[in-house]
């Protein structure tokens, strides 16, 4: 394993070097949080594919293939479908908004009434996503080096936190491109054909396994439907995904690059299921389906290649973790802390000063005084990274934590976000009711029926939709000035969107709907 260890150590050292390189490019808030909004199609599509295809898609996707056969591809397949839908139907409009977070979009659309509560929900989702990714690559470190679980979490977490804190989105973008290349070579070009050959080819696989392993819906129709609700819709509204959309240099790049990344996800989904099916032929009695990936890599691949494929698995997990970490820090700083700070400063001000834009401190007299936004966001990444490591050390059940995160995200935020994009009659009161009712319904049903039950997301979405429509129709329509500013931003008109956006919250939004 010495050669394999050397490959992995060189890979990890390269990640830290990319972080240092990215630090030199992150000189403004835009550079640090959204890579200056200037990624071209190749880099955009590679980094988008890297962020959505994490440990669940790689190790978990192979495990589902081991358990269900080719239909095990459905989980990752629905992720690809969600990314395709986002790219084709929404990404161009999202990119033109020139915001930093999903909550800023809700503020802009509804006049500043839904941003804080949506920020809290989104923060909880991104935090748990980062935690589960940390646990996943800690498991890989444990398998590779035989490290104690706590030490593996600290080591892996320290590497991700280090390069993310140094250069923000530029560092993460550069590392994600490396991870995308390593993943493509390791999983698609090496592990996939070798696994099929070792298993005797498709004819031998069909002869050895039950017919259900090759049925399109062998995993179950209800399971596929739940995957669509959680993962396809989750791709439409997650802060970690939207923050990558914000990095595109144009709406055309966001649409075409995202479509390419979504198509790549579909191929990756099928590859994982095929590898898992081959592993079932080779190792029919594994203790856990999730052991299939590590087992086939260890036993079927030659020295050096084995290290590259393990580095590919590590790449998949670390790309998701770093993307979730910067999303969590961005929401915590821009959607929660900045709003709380603004409220406290306004209350203590002697005069009715205008609300300071995000990224500025309102001075004692209410005047906006700029502060070091890169340093502030870097501090929040470090703070959130330490919180992620601490929570990961205390947490055991990864699947339940991730399910809670996605149920809250989709049950609470899907309807107000898509409603804001598609229905002009939706109001801020309707959005708040939708978030509260949907979130509480999901939580209540998870407590009564179990975290892994399908019903919480079904009824949570239905309750969220009913509340959104009913309250929106029962309340006064959104102010015309707010809607005019919203439509102008969606159209990408120069007079409505500058290079940076500061979306106000609360009362200031009514008097300054354009956010400037």
């Amino acid at each position: 394993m010495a050669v394999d260890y050397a490959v992995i150590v060189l890979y990890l050292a390269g990640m830290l070097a990319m972080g240092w390189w990215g630090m030199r490019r992150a000189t403004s808030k835009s550079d640090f949080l959204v890579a200056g909004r200037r990624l071209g199609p190749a880099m955009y599509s590679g980094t988008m594919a890297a962020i959505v295809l994490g440990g669940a898609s790689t190790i978990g996707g192979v495990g589902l293939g081991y358990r269900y056969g080719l239909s095990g591809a459905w989980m990752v397949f629905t992720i690809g479908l969600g990314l395709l839908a986002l790219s084709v139907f929404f990404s161009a409009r999202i990119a033109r908004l020139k915001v930093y977070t999903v909550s800023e979009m809700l503020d802009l659309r509804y006049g500043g009434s839904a941003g804080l509560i949506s920020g809290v929900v989104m923060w909880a989702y991104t935090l748990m996503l980062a935690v589960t990714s940390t646990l996943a690559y800690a498991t890989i470190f444990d398998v590779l080096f035989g490290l104690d679980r706590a030490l593996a979490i600290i080591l892996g977490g320290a590497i991700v936190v280090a390069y993310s804190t140094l250069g923000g989105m530029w560092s993460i973008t550069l590392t994600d491109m490396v991870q995308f290349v390593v993943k493509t070579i390791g999983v698609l070009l090496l592990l996939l054909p070798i696994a099929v050959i070792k298993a005797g080819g498709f004819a031998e696989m069909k002869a050895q396994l039950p017919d259900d392993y090759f049925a399109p819906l062998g995993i179950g129709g209800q399971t596929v439907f739940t995957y669509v609700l959680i993962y396809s819709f989750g791709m439409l509204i997650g802060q970690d995904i939207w923050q990558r959309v914000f990095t595109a240099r144009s709406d055309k790049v966001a649409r075409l690059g995202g479509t390419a990344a979504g198509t790549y996800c579909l191929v990756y989904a099928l590859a994982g299921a095929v590898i898992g099916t081959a592993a079932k032929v080779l190792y029919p009695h594994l203790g856990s389906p999730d052991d299939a990936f590590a087992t086939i890599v260890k036993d079927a691949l030659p020295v050096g290649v084995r290290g590259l494929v393990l580095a590919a698995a590590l790449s998949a997990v670390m790309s998701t973790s770093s993307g979730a970490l910067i999303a969590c820090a961005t929401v915590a700083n821009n959607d929660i802390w900045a709003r709380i700070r603004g409220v406290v400063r306004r209350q203590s001000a002697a005069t009715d000063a205008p609300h300071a834009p995000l990224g500025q401190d309102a001075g004692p007299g209410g005047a906006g005084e700029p502060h070091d936004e890169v340093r502030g966001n870097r501090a929040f990444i470090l703070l959130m990274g330490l919180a992620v490591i601490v929570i990961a050390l205390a947490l055991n059940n990864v699947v339940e934590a991730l399910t809670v995160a996605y149920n809250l995200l989709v049950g609470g935020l899907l309807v107000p976000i898509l409603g804001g994009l598609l229905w002009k009659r939706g109001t801020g009161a309707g959005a708040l009711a939708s978030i509260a009712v949907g979130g509480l319904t999901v939580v209540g049903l998870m407590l009564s029926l179990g975290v892994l039950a399908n019903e919480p997301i079904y009824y949570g979405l239905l309750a969220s939709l009913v509340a959104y429509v009913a309250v929106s129709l029962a309340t006064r329509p959104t102010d015309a000035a707010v809607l005019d500013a919203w439509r102008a931003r969606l159209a990408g008109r120069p007079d409505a969107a500058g290079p940076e956006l500061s979306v106000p919250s609360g009362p200031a939004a009514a008097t300054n709907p354009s956010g400037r």
Side-chain angles (χ1 to χ4, degrees), residues 97-245:
L97 289 174
K98 303 294 183 187
V99 295
Y100 291 109
T101 68
V102 174
S103 295
E104 287 180 5
M105 167 264 170
L106 291 173
D107 263 346
L108 186 63
R109 168 61 180 82
Y110 295 113
S113 58
L116 181 58
I117 187 173
S118 64
V120 172
V121 174
M122 190 64 76
W123 173 78
Y125 157 73
T126 53
L127 180 70
M128 295 312 300
L129 184 61
V131 168
T132 54
S133 299
T134 300
L135 288 170
Y137 60 69
T139 301
I140 297 175
F141 277 120
D142 184 18
V143 171
L144 289 177
F145 304 113
L147 296 177
D148 175 75
R149 175 181 178 273
L151 182 59
I153 289 173
I154 293 171
L155 174 62
I159 293 171
V160 171
V161 171
Y163 75 70
S164 300
T165 302
L166 285 173
M169 186 60 80
W170 267 122
S171 293
I172 293 171
T173 296
L174 294 170
T175 55
D176 277 358
M177 278 305 298
V178 175
Q179 290 161 351
F180 171 74
V181 172
V182 171
K183 218 164 15 181
T184 301
I185 295 173
V187 176
L188 297 185
L189 302 183
L190 293 176
L191 182 58
L192 174 61
I194 291 174
V196 172
I197 292 171
K198 290 280 187 179
F202 284 103
E204 182 64 19
M205 290 162 63
K206 292 196 72 173
Q208 293 284 337
L209 298 172
D211 291 340
D212 286 350
Y213 267 71
F214 302 92
L217 294 177
I219 198 171
Q222 186 181 30
T223 300
V224 174
F225 181 65
T226 303
Y227 283 161
V228 170
L229 287 183
I230 293 178
Y231 296 113
S232 294
F233 287 150
M235 289 296 104
L236 297 180
I237 59 175
Q239 169 66 25
D240 50 328
I241 310 303
W242 276 43
Q243 199 156 346
R244 295 309 173 99
V245 175

Side-chain angles (χ1 to χ4, degrees), residues 214-421:
F214 302 92
L217 294 177
I219 198 171
Q222 186 181 30
T223 300
V224 174
F225 181 65
T226 303
Y227 283 161
V228 170
L229 287 183
I230 293 178
Y231 296 113
S232 294
F233 287 150
M235 289 296 104
L236 297 180
I237 59 175
Q239 169 66 25
D240 50 328
I241 310 303
W242 276 43
Q243 199 156 346
R244 295 309 173 99
V245 175
F246 302 151
T247 66
R249 71 183 178 204
S250 68
D251 52 6
K252 184 177 180 181
V253 168
R255 184 172 59 253
L256 297 181
T259 300
T263 304
Y264 179 91
C265 291
L266 303 183
V267 175
Y268 200 88
L270 186 58
V274 171
I275 293 168
T277 304
K280 183 66 176 179
V281 173
L282 294 169
Y283 319 102
H285 304 298
L286 291 178
S288 169
D290 287 340
D291 294 336
F293 181 86
T295 302
I296 197 169
V297 168
K298 283 184 175 181
D299 294 350
L301 300 183
V303 174
V305 173
R306 181 171 50 203
L308 182 62
V309 174
L310 288 173
L314 203 55
S315 297
V317 180
M318 293 179 81
S319 60
T320 299
S321 180
S322 58
L325 177 59
I326 193 171
C328 177
T330 302
V331 171
N333 188 17
N334 290 270
D335 292 335
I336 300 176
W337 173 242
R339 296 168 194 273
I340 294 173
R341 184 182 62 203
V343 169
V344 171
R345 288 186 180 277
R346 285 199 303 274
Q347 289 177 345
S348 63
T351 61
D352 292 329
H355 178 54
L358 297 182
Q360 291 187 348
D361 290 327
E369 297 176 359
H371 67 275
D372 189 341
E373 294 178 290
V374 172
R375 184 175 61 185
N377 282 288
R378 184 174 282 132
F380 265 87
I381 290 182
L382 180 60
L383 180 64
M384 292 298 104
L386 294 175
V388 165
I389 292 173
V390 171
I391 295 171
L393 289 170
L395 198 64
N396 289 318
N397 198 318
V398 180
V399 175
E400 289 192 359
L402 190 60
T403 302
V404 169
Y406 267 101
N407 281 351
L408 283 174
L409 173 72
V410 176
L413 293 182
L414 178 70
V415 171
I417 290 172
L418 294 188
L421 289 168

